[in-house]
Amino acid sequence: MAMPRNREKPAMLEFTVDGKTAQNNPNTYTCEFSLERDGWVGKPGRPVNPGIVLYAMADGSFAVWDPARNAWSQEEGKDSPERIKPYVFNNSELWQGLRNPDASLGMLCNGLLQDWGNWQRDKGEAFSQLQNVLKALSSSPSEEDSLEPGPLMSLRVGDTFEYPSIRMPDESAIPIVHASSGVKRILSVAYLLVWSWQEHVRASKLLAKAPARQMIFLIDEVEAHLHPKWQRSVVRALMQVADDLNPNTSVQLLLTTHSPLVMGSVEPLFDAAKDSWWDLDLDRLSRTPQLHRRQFVRLGDANSWLLSEAFDQQATGSIEAEEALASARALLLQGKDAEINQVIRAQERLQQVLGETDPFWNYWRVVAKREGWNRSEEHTS
C-alpha cells in the first residue's frame, strides 16, 4: 500500500474513472489517508462500477477487483455500505492458493497449480481458454516457441500432487515450478486473466447479471524478467488476449516500462485516437515527480528511444565509451591546434572502448588526415 511520506501533512489521491452509471459520465474521486485507520478513506456511498480491475505488480504480487464478487453490500443494522475487500495475492498465494480470513468459508482462490491441474483434467472451457492465452503470450508466434501445456506430473516418489508442465522446444516437458522467471511471470499473468474471467462469469450467472462490459488491466514493469525477444512482443500479445477474452468486453491496458524495446515494439500498434503515453520525470528544481503526456513519435528502434525524452540518456554504450568519445570530439573541434600527445592518448582510449566497426572511426580518420595529425595516422593505418 502506498503510504504518505510526511504524516504531518494531509495526503490525498485523486482519480477519475468512466464506469457504469446512470449518466455514464466520468466520476472523480478523492481519497484521504487516515492516520487513525492506517489506510485510504474515500467518500461514502456506492462507487461507480469500473468493471473488472486487474493489477499485476512488479514484485510478482497481484490484485483483482470483481464487481460481481467484490461489490458493496448493505448489511442489516448498518447505515452505510461495507466494502468486501478485493483479492490481493502475493506471488506464493497466486500459485498455492489464497485462503479466506474466515477459515469456515474455505479458499478464496485455489491457486495456479491446483486450478491448472483441475482445468486440464476437465478439458473444459477454462483449459481451452488457458491454452489460447498461453499461445498468445508466447515469445513469438512460431510453434517451437509457443507455450504449450504438457502432461501433469509428480516431482518425487510418494508425492501425490500432480504438477502442470509446459513443453520445451525439444518436445520434452518440465514442471512449471522449474520454469524460468520470465516464463513464470507469463504463466502467472495468463492464469490471473483466465481465473478472474471464469470466476466473474460464474458469479454473474449466480447473480442473474450479464458479465462486465469493461476491464482495466494494470501491469507494472511489463518487461519484468522477460528476454529482449519477449519484450518486443509482450504488448502486442496482451492486446490480442484482451481482444479475445470476450468480444463484448472492452479492455483498457495501463502499462509501465523501463524498456526501450517495449516502446519501440508498440510503434505499429499505437493509435493516437485512443492511446497515449505518459512520461514520469523528476523535476530538478522542485525535486518532485512530474507526469507529462507526450506526443508519440515513431523513432524506429530501441537506441533511438533510449536517446529520447522517454529515457533521457545521452548515449547507448558504456559510460567509458561515452567519456572517450566526448574527449575525442573536443579534440576534433580544436583541429590543427590540438596537441599531438593528447590526440595519441585519445586514440588509444578509443581503441580500448570502441569496436573496430564503430562509425566514429571513419570520422576520426578523415579529420586526422585533414588536420595533419601524422603521428596519429600511424596508429590508424
Side-chain angles (χ1 to χ4, degrees):
M1 179 175 62
M3 305 288 284
R5 287 183 289 180
N6 187 344
R7 286 178 170 261
E8 296 181 357
K9 295 182 178 180
M12 291 186 294
L13 296 173
E14 185 176 274
F15 60 94
T16 300
V17 60
D18 183 9
K20 184 178 179 182
T21 63
Q23 297 80 21
N24 285 323
N25 295 322
N27 286 259
T28 299
Y29 291 87
T30 300
C31 298
E32 187 169 355
F33 191 85
S34 170
L35 299 177
E36 290 77 14
R37 300 187 186 183
D38 196 34
W40 298 94
V41 179
K43 63 183 180 181
R46 184 183 180 90
V48 66
N49 180 358
I52 302 173
V53 181
L54 310 178
Y55 181 20
M57 290 164 261
D59 64 353
S61 303
F62 295 86
V64 178
W65 192 89
D66 183 345
R69 294 180 290 160
N70 305 119
W72 288 60
S73 61
Q74 180 72 46
E75 293 189 14
E76 186 177 352
K78 291 190 176 182
D79 295 329
S80 60
E82 182 173 320
R83 181 164 59 104
I84 300 174
K85 292 183 178 180
Y87 302 100
V88 180
F89 308 81
N90 60 35
N91 188 58
S92 176
E93 288 168 337
L94 187 79
W95 282 62
Q96 303 288 344
L98 182 64
R99 296 187 179 278
N100 196 313
D102 186 345
S104 64
L105 297 179
M107 300 289 289
L108 291 174
C109 173
N110 292 326
L112 184 155
L113 295 175
Q114 184 169 325
D115 275 339
W116 182 324
N118 291 339
W119 296 344
Q120 188 163 344
R121 294 183 191 95
D122 293 342
K123 298 180 180 179
E125 179 186 355
F127 187 61
S128 177
Q129 191 172 57
L130 178 65
Q131 288 176 299
N132 292 335
V133 171
L134 287 176
K135 184 175 182 180
L137 291 178
S138 299
S139 58
S140 77
S142 61
E143 292 296 329
E144 60 268 21
D145 290 332
S146 179
L147 288 175
E148 180 183 349
L152 301 176
M153 57 177 61
S154 298
L155 295 183
R156 57 186 62 87
V157 176
D159 188 355
T160 59
F161 188 84
E162 292 186 310
Y163 289 83
S165 69
I166 54 171
R167 293 198 179 278
M168 303 301 290
D170 62 359
E171 294 301 318
S172 64
I174 65 166
I176 60 175
V177 292
H178 293 164
S180 67
S181 296
V183 171
K184 285 181 178 178
R185 168 80 164 174
I186 294 297
L187 297 182
S188 298
V189 170
Y191 169 72
L192 181 77
L193 281 164
V194 176
W195 174 81
S196 300
W197 182 253
Q198 290 291 325
E199 291 300 313
H200 171 72
V201 170
R202 190 161 70 99
S204 297
K205 287 181 179 179
L206 293 174
L207 297 173
K209 294 182 179 180
R213 300 293 296 272
Q214 295 183 150
M215 176 184 290
I216 300 173
F217 193 8
L218 304 95
I219 306 181
D220 272 343
E221 299 185 29
V222 66
E223 76 281 4
H225 302 299
L226 298 185
H227 186 277
K229 179 180 179 181
W230 222 331
Q231 293 180 32
R232 296 180 64 203
S233 63
V234 64
V235 176
R236 178 188 297 275
L238 286 168
M239 292 178 68
Q240 179 184 335
V241 169
D243 290 339
D244 295 345
L245 198 61
N246 182 10
N248 296 320
T249 300
S250 62
V251 181
Q252 180 184 20
L253 292 174
L254 298 173
L255 314 174
T256 68
T257 183
H258 292 106
S259 169
L261 286 170
V262 168
M263 296 299 294
S265 74
V266 302
E267 288 189 2
L269 313 174
F270 193 90
D271 182 350
K274 55 185 178 182
D275 299 326
S276 61
W277 84 271
W278 298 78
D279 188 16
L280 184 63
D281 278 325
L282 179 67
D283 185 89
R284 300 298 178 182
L285 296 177
S286 64
R287 304 298 297 173
T288 58
Q290 302 289 330
L291 191 63
H292 301 284
R293 184 172 183 174
R294 306 290 192 191
Q295 181 181 2
F296 190 90
V297 179
R298 291 175 174 84
L299 301 179
D301 60 22
N303 272 356
S304 298
W305 275 103
L306 266 179
L307 298 173
S308 73
E309 59 189 353
F311 298 95
D312 302 315
Q313 297 296 306
Q314 302 302 313
T316 60
S318 67
I319 295 176
E320 291 79 4
E322 181 181 358
E323 293 172 347
L325 286 169
S327 298
R329 291 189 179 103
L331 290 172
L332 293 177
L333 292 175
Q334 295 179 32
K336 290 184 175 63
D337 296 331
E339 295 184 10
I340 194 63
N341 290 335
Q342 291 182 337
V343 171
I344 294 174
R345 284 197 297 270
Q347 179 164 299
E348 289 174 346
R349 182 64 174 145
L350 289 172
Q351 290 171 335
Q352 293 173 355
V353 297
L354 290 188
E356 295 179 358
T357 59
D358 192 286
F360 183 77
W361 282 121
N362 294 328
Y363 184 40
W364 176 266
R365 292 185 177 108
V366 168
V367 175
K369 184 176 182 179
R370 184 188 69 199
E371 302 298 346
W373 295 342
N374 296 327
R375 292 180 62 184
S376 175
E377 288 184 59
E378 296 176 3
H379 292 262
T380 62
S381 61

